[in-house]
Amino acid sequence: MSKKLTRREKALIRSKNKLSSPWASLLSIVIAVLWTVPTMGLLVTSFRQNRMAISTSGWWTSFAPSHWKDFGLGNYKAVLGGGYNLGSYFVNSFVITIPGVVIPITLALLAAYAFAWCKFPGRNVLFVAVFTLQVVPVQVTMIPLLTQYVNWGLNNTFWVLWLSHTIFGLPLAIFLLHNFMLDIPKELIEAAKMDGAGHVQIFLKVVLPLMVPAIASFAIFQFLWVWNDLLVALAFAGNTPATAPLTSRLSDMVGSRGSAWYLLAPGAFIAMIVPVAVFLLLQRYFVRGMLAGSVKG
């Protein structure tokens, strides 16, 4: 007996057929190559130790056998050690980024669950207020926040960066996770309530496992935002070695280390390798999170 396909399954089949055309595959390959070429050039340049060759020839010329002797790890040793010491700034970026991702996601999950499945007075008005906070420019909040941080004695510490990235990331996180949470079938929540589960059990055992793709999707965006941030770090934590991120050190190398321009390539590659690795590890969850709820059955 043949199984009757639902509208959702038919829509997925049509989408798959459209995306599997030869022209779509060719276009994807062209875009991937164009996107990868600059990264390849940066990687090759980072290993070239002949400054004169870097300034007078393109990175593609280094594949000739006569230029193989120019390759080495000298640039990376100079960047990670010596007077540049990018290693400590690399650690600072991790110390800033991990709490800057975990804290807003944790708070946003709790708030999104309350907005989605808990009934309380003023819920819709409060959600609209949270949503409108997304349009507030970051620059507008810097002076009031910095004044408050100074009054609290938190300036030039990691705390101001964690709090700032949490504040700036919460509105979008709540909005996105709330929308994903509404796609969870209401019957699952009602069945859990009938079995005697409270809100804590429903959140931990029913909602949270289903939210993994959505959490991964926002985690990638937030990780990239915090890791690549320079403005917030300079405004709230200064440029001290104890709290400055990797982007701050790279900015100093551009502005005040003109004689060491050849070290920018290894420094930039070190800065970008972590976000690329995070995206590659979470890409399957990212795609599932982006497609969740896009097709209604």
Side-chain angles (χ1 to χ4, degrees):
M1 182 176 180
S2 61
K3 178 182 177 182
K4 186 177 180 180
L5 296 177
T6 64
R7 287 188 299 170
R8 181 186 179 91
E9 292 171 338
K10 292 179 180 178
L12 290 175
I13 292 174
R14 288 195 299 268
S15 300
K16 184 178 180 180
N17 292 335
K18 291 179 180 178
L19 294 176
S20 61
S21 65
W23 291 109
S25 301
L26 179 61
L27 180 61
S28 300
I29 294 174
V30 172
I31 293 175
V33 171
L34 293 177
W35 192 271
T36 307
V37 166
T39 305
M40 183 65 181
L42 183 68
L43 176 62
V44 172
T45 303
S46 67
F47 287 102
R48 299 178 71 185
Q49 301 180 116
N50 190 331
R51 305 181 198 177
M52 184 61 66
I54 296 175
S55 59
T56 58
S57 62
W59 60 269
W60 53 89
T61 62
S62 60
F63 292 108
S66 59
H67 292 283
W68 289 355
K69 62 180 182 299
D70 297 335
F71 285 92
L73 298 176
N75 293 338
Y76 283 94
K77 292 179 181 178
V79 166
L80 295 175
Y84 302 98
N85 196 22
L86 280 189
S88 62
Y89 293 89
F90 190 80
V91 174
N92 288 348
S93 290
F94 270 108
V95 174
I96 295 169
T97 303
I98 294 177
V101 174
V102 174
I103 296 175
I105 289 180
T106 302
L107 297 178
L109 281 169
L110 298 174
Y113 178 84
F115 283 125
W117 302 111
C118 297
K119 296 181 180 180
F120 56 89
R123 179 180 64 173
N124 295 332
V125 175
L126 184 57
F127 180 76
V128 171
V130 172
F131 174 74
T132 55
L133 289 175
Q134 297 181 61
V135 303
V136 178
V138 174
Q139 294 80 358
V140 174
T141 65
M142 285 189 169
I143 293 178
L145 282 177
L146 182 58
T147 302
Q148 191 62 55
Y149 291 151
V150 172
N151 293 336
W152 289 343
L154 297 177
N155 56 306
N156 296 331
T157 65
F158 287 120
W159 279 103
V160 297
L161 298 176
W162 299 336
L163 291 173
S164 299
H165 288 301
T166 299
I167 293 170
F168 298 146
L170 266 179
L172 179 60
I174 294 174
F175 176 72
L176 292 178
L177 295 178
H178 170 265
N179 291 344
F180 278 107
M181 209 168 286
L182 287 179
D183 287 335
I184 297 176
K186 187 177 180 180
E187 291 76 10
L188 289 177
I189 307 298
E190 294 177 349
K193 289 181 179 180
M194 292 181 63
D195 290 339
H199 285 299
V200 175
Q201 290 178 311
I202 294 174
F203 175 77
L204 294 177
K205 296 183 179 181
V206 178
V207 174
L208 198 59
L210 298 175
M211 291 292 294
V212 172
I215 295 171
S217 298
F218 180 77
I220 291 176
F221 284 119
Q222 183 70 1
F223 188 95
L224 295 177
W225 165 258
V226 178
W227 183 271
N228 295 322
D229 169 71
L230 176 61
L231 178 62
V232 175
L234 290 179
F236 296 140
N239 199 19
T240 59
T243 57
L246 189 59
T247 53
S248 176
R249 189 54 171 163
L250 290 177
S251 177
D252 288 343
M253 293 174 63
V254 173
S256 61
R257 299 284 183 176
S259 60
W261 54 267
Y262 60 95
L263 295 180
L264 290 177
F269 196 80
I270 291 173
M272 67 173 287
I273 192 65
V274 173
V276 171
V278 169
F279 179 79
L280 293 178
L281 290 173
L282 299 179
Q283 64 173 337
R284 60 173 180 155
Y285 297 107
F286 177 76
V287 174
R288 287 169 54 191
M290 293 298 292
L291 295 179
S294 60
V295 180
K296 297 293 184 181

